[in-house]
């Protein structure tokens, strides 16, 4: 049976598969478009199974807000190689997943995985399809969201780091502050908003580390607790967002910078996604 170029192009539009793969699928399905789609999807499942133990450490990280800036989301879509990660089609595919998350205000990765793309396939199904098309292990690595009075997103050049942040006030006057804080999070990788947000386990660990360091330095046993608490405060200053030195002006903290816009302005939530 002769397969026409029009049939091949139509199948490519539906699946994103390569021209030769589409032609082979159409030959196998005797020109039946729906059966050809199934052939390619089964191929994707087979490839996914064969590559299940592969390390998908590359990929893209993207972030954006909805139209009224009350919801922000970030996604990490992983692949195996840097070559694929930099491909415009792969970046566009990741963007379509993020757009779907934003338009549906997806609450978690499972919910996002069950949403349907324009192709009619769910995100989870389409990832299997893409594995077959690309020939690499593809996976939805992470999905994070922030809801707040105003949200902001930042993608560092190269699509390897993305951040989203929520402020407790809305308005165009806070746009610059929101973007600056999103960049701060990307650059300085804080572990929490402030010291009260740091988990008790982390605090205990840092105190013990501080004591051990002081002990190794030969400090008196009676002084270890005091020295460790001093080092804990330094840890908070370096690792909690509001206490960090502002990247654009190291003479002020992020909290002080925000209060220059409004005395009550603060961060209520943030997320940072980064490829290793």
């Amino acid at each position: 049976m002769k397969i026409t170029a029009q049939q091949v192009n139509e199948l490519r539009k539906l699946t994103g598969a390569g021209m030769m793969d589409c032609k082979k699928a159409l030959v196998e399905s005797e020109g039946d478009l729906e059966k050809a789609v199934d052939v390619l999807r089964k191929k994707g499942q087979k490839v996914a199974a064969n590559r299940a133990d592969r390390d998908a450490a590359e990929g893209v990280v993207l972030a954006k807000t909805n139209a009224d800036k009350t919801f922000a989301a970030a996604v990490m879509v992983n692949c195996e190689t840097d070559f694929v990660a930099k491909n415009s089609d792969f970046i566009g595919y990741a963007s379509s997943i993020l757009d779907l998350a934003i338009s549906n205000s997806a609450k978690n990765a499972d919910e996002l995985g069950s949403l349907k793309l324009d192709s009619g396939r769910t995100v989870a199904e389409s990832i299997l399809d893409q594995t077959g098309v690309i020939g690499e292990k593809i996976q939805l690595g992470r999905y994070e969201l922030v809801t707040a009075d105003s949200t902001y997103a930042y993608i560092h050049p190269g699509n390897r780091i993305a951040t989203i942040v929520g402020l407790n006030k809305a308005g165009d006057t806070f746009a610059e502050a929101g973007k600056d804080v999103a960049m701060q999070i990307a650059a300085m990788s804080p572990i929490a908003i402030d010291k009260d947000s740091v988990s008790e386990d982390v605090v205990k660990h840092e105190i013990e580390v501080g004591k051990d360091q002081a002990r190794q330095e030969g400090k008196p046993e009676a002084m270890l607790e005091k020295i460790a608490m001093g080092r804990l405060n330094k840890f908070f200053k370096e690792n909690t967002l509001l206490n960090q030195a502002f990247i654009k002006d190291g003479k002020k903290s992020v909290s002080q910078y925000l209060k220059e816009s409004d005395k009550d302005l603060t961060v209520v939530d943030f997320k940072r996604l980064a490829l290793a």
Side-chain angles (χ1 to χ4, degrees):
M1 179 181 180
K2 185 179 179 181
I3 303 300
T4 67
Q6 182 179 349
Q7 288 174 298
V8 173
N9 285 331
E10 189 173 355
L11 185 56
R12 287 190 72 187
K13 288 179 182 177
L14 283 173
T15 64
M19 184 172 67
M20 291 307 299
D21 287 334
C22 287
K23 188 171 182 179
K24 288 177 182 177
L26 284 164
V27 169
E28 185 176 334
S29 63
E30 298 181 340
D32 187 307
L33 188 64
E34 289 187 8
K35 288 182 180 178
V37 170
D38 286 339
V39 167
L40 289 171
R41 287 173 178 165
K42 287 175 183 176
K43 179 190 172 187
Q45 292 171 354
K46 182 178 179 181
V47 172
N50 290 340
R51 304 188 79 84
D53 60 345
R54 298 296 291 266
D55 184 20
E58 291 295 332
V60 296
V61 185
L62 304 173
K64 70 185 299 185
T65 69
N66 64 356
D68 65 8
K69 295 188 179 300
T70 57
F71 179 90
V75 296
M76 177 186 291
V77 182
N78 294 109
C79 57
E80 293 178 32
T81 65
D82 185 52
F83 176 78
V84 168
K86 291 180 177 178
N87 182 277
S88 59
D89 287 341
F90 183 75
I91 296 170
Y93 173 67
S95 294
S96 70
I97 293 176
L98 178 58
D99 288 340
L100 187 67
I102 293 290
S103 62
N104 289 273
S105 300
K107 297 179 181 63
N108 51 54
D110 288 340
E111 182 176 317
L112 177 56
S114 68
L115 295 175
K116 289 188 176 181
L117 292 158
D118 291 341
S119 63
R121 301 282 282 172
T122 66
V123 169
E125 290 169 340
S126 76
I127 285 174
L128 280 179
D129 298 342
Q130 287 296 310
T131 296
V133 170
I134 295 171
E136 288 191 7
K137 181 179 181 179
I138 308 297
Q139 63 185 26
L140 180 61
R142 283 183 63 189
Y143 170 70
E144 299 288 353
L145 64 100
V146 165
T147 58
D149 290 325
S150 62
T151 62
Y152 301 88
Y154 171 72
I155 305 171
H156 192 68
N159 300 323
R160 296 184 68 85
I161 300 174
T163 64
I164 49 178
V165 60
L167 302 181
N168 65 333
K169 289 178 176 283
D172 293 339
T173 53
F174 305 126
E176 184 177 357
K179 291 175 183 176
D180 282 344
V181 174
M183 290 178 66
Q184 173 89 21
I185 296 163
M188 302 306 294
S189 189
I191 64 168
I193 294 174
D194 55 27
K195 65 179 184 179
D196 294 332
S197 305
V198 179
S199 73
E200 188 176 339
D201 287 343
V202 170
V203 172
K204 287 179 179 178
H205 173 73
E206 290 302 318
I207 291 173
E208 289 306 312
V209 168
K211 285 181 178 180
D212 287 343
Q213 288 175 339
R215 189 176 290 114
Q216 290 172 24
E217 292 166 359
K219 304 297 184 185
E221 197 71 24
M223 294 291 292
L224 297 185
E225 184 78 23
K226 184 177 180 180
I227 293 170
M229 293 307 295
R231 289 178 176 175
L232 179 63
N233 287 330
K234 184 174 183 287
F235 173 83
F236 287 147
K237 185 175 181 180
E238 293 175 348
N239 294 281
T240 59
L241 177 59
L242 294 178
N243 294 302
Q244 285 180 335
F246 180 44
I247 54 173
K248 289 188 174 182
D249 184 352
K251 294 179 181 179
K252 65 183 75 170
S253 68
V254 172
S255 178
Q256 289 170 332
Y257 166 67
L258 289 173
K259 292 184 187 308
E260 291 176 354
S261 296
D262 184 290
K263 65 181 180 66
D264 297 319
L265 186 64
T266 193
V267 174
V268 295
D269 196 5
F270 76 86
K271 297 292 187 297
R272 181 182 188 272
L273 273 64
L275 290 161

